[in-house]
Every structure is written in C-alpha cells, then in structure tokens.
Amino acid sequence: MKLFHSPGACSLGIRVLMEEIGAPFETVNVDLKSGEHRQPAYMKLNPKAKVPALLRPDGRLLTEFPVIALWLARQFPEKNLLPDGPEGDIDALELLDYVVSTLHMRGATLAMRPDRFCQDPKGQEEVRKSGREVLTVGFERLEEQLGEKEWFFGHMTIVDMAVFYLVHWQPRYDLPLTPRLKAFHERMMERPAVKRALA
Ligand SMILES: N[C@@H](CCC(=O)N[C@@H](CS)C(=O)NCC(=O)O)C(=O)O
C-alpha cells in the first residue's frame, strides 16, 4: 500500500489510521504548498488533485477519506475499526461523512481559507464567519455524540481518525474546542501511532 499525503492536510487521519493498523505501507509526500498536487505527475495518478489517496496492492487508487478509511477497516477486520452491531459500517459512514463533507469542507475550509472563495477582505470575513458557524454547530453535535466515552463508538474506529484531523486544525480556525473534544484531542496526541504520524 502506498499513501499519498501531505503534512498538515486531512490525510493525517489516514496516516494515523495506517499507523494504528500497523501493516507495512509506503508514504509519498505531495507538497500542497508548492502545488505539487496540480502537477501532471500527480494529476495523472489522481485527476482530483487531492490528498489523501491510497494505492492498493492490486493497483487501484482509492480517493475520498471515508472510502479509504472504510476499505482499510474492512481489510483488517481483526483491528475492530468499525462500530459494533449489524449496521456498524453505516453508523461509521454517517458520522464520517458529516465530519468530512460538512465540518471539514463547509466549516474548516471556509474558516481557514476564505481567500479561496473571495478576494475582497470584507467578503472574506463573511466567508470565515460562515465556516466558523458550521464548526460551532458541529462541535456541539460531536460533543453530544462523544458524551462521556473515550471514543465516538465506545472503542476506537475510523471515525475517530477524521475527528482527530479536524480538531488538530484548531489553531488554524481559531475557535475554542468544546471540553470533550479538547480532551479527545489530548488523548489522541498521547497515542504512539499519532506521534509517529506527526514525526
Ligand atoms: N473529499 C476529499 C477531500 C480531500 C481534500 O480536500 N484534501 C485537501 C487537503 S486537506 C486537498 O488535497 N487540497 C488540495 C486542493 O484543494 O487544492 C476527501 O474526503 O478525501
């Protein structure tokens, strides 16, 4: 397996997941800052020009965080990375998609990079505000769903990896984390897999 990622990007969640799984994998750093993801060499492989992307041993390239995470969880069932119960994969996808499609794409992206959507400084302030509003509502949802548990579904699952990268971006969107999310982030930061992924 080969993971295409970029330090500081949402691919961190997949990197942590792969470290938790502990199977051998290669990493390829795609430098978003210099625009390497839009260069022909990467676009040929992944025309979406995004990270994460995971090259499977059979040669298929997987894109989209929830898809990569679900594939990895299914590939290593002994690691128990899906919620328990007959609809564990559905439960995981429901929350994963909320974190990635709403809180990341519609919340954090707007709050962190308003310049990508608007040139005018006043307009950028509006964009940033709109992203922070989405995050504020989302944090309340996540706070409630986490409750007094250590992990979103009682034991560690692929959902925790997505929440991790989102809360890890906190200094960039500069919105206080709710108490349980803050404790969740601190808990994740203690994990050897996270330390390895961030090293
Ligand atoms: N929907 C995609 C989002 C991936 C995404 O937006 N990745 C960002 C990094 S956090 C990226 O590659 N950005 C490059 C760009 O948009 O130019 C997923 O779930 O993987």
Side-chain angles (χ1 to χ4, degrees):
M1 290 184 290
K2 198 188 272 188
L3 175 67
F4 294 86
H5 75 112
S6 188
C10 55
S11 49
L12 172 65
I14 299 293
R15 180 89 200 251
V16 173
L17 177 58
M18 294 177 83
E19 292 286 350
E20 289 286 356
I21 290 170
F25 65 96
E26 280 176 65
T27 55
V28 178
N29 191 351
V30 183
D31 186 17
L32 298 185
K33 284 200 182 89
S34 69
E36 197 182 348
H37 57 306
R38 295 208 189 89
Q39 294 301 314
Y42 188 65
M43 294 275 293
K44 203 167 149 208
L45 189 78
N46 180 8
K48 288 178 177 171
K50 301 268 184 197
V51 293
L54 181 75
L55 188 62
R56 301 193 320 196
D58 66 0
R60 177 170 175 181
L61 186 86
L62 292 181
T63 60
E64 306 300 330
F65 192 108
V67 171
I68 297 170
L70 181 60
W71 182 80
L72 284 167
R74 284 187 177 170
Q75 203 66 13
F76 300 95
E78 70 282 6
K79 301 289 175 185
N80 199 22
L81 290 162
L82 288 172
D84 295 333
E87 300 228 300
D89 50 355
I90 301 293
D91 294 333
L93 278 183
E94 191 172 29
L95 191 49
L96 259 185
D97 197 55
Y98 179 59
V99 173
V100 175
S101 302
T102 300
L103 304 187
H104 167 182
M105 305 307 298
R106 175 68 184 76
T109 302
L110 271 62
M112 298 189 310
R113 296 296 310 273
D115 54 303
R116 292 183 87 177
F117 304 93
C118 183
Q119 301 307 312
D120 159 53
K122 201 157 173 283
Q124 284 180 11
E125 219 20 73
E126 287 301 310
V127 172
R128 182 181 284 114
K129 188 165 161 257
S130 160
R132 287 164 132 238
E133 279 166 11
V134 171
L135 285 173
T136 303
V137 171
F139 286 172
E140 286 307 322
R141 293 263 61 75
L142 293 179
E143 185 82 356
E144 204 179 296
Q145 182 134 6
L146 182 57
E148 299 301 327
K149 305 187 294 303
E150 260 188 85
W151 310 107
F152 277 83
F153 289 95
H155 61 86
M156 181 185 275
T157 68
I158 55 177
V159 173
D160 298 295
M161 309 303 159
V163 178
F164 172 64
Y165 83 72
L166 183 79
V167 295
H168 194 64
W169 282 344
Q170 187 274 337
R172 293 173 61 194
Y173 47 67
D174 194 25
L175 193 70
L177 293 177
T178 49
R180 289 167 181 160
L181 286 184
K182 189 165 180 293
F184 169 82
H185 182 245
E186 285 163 7
R187 217 157 31 241
M188 285 295 289
M189 291 296 281
E190 288 304 312
R191 295 192 70 81
V194 171
K195 291 185 177 155
R196 283 197 300 276
L198 289 171

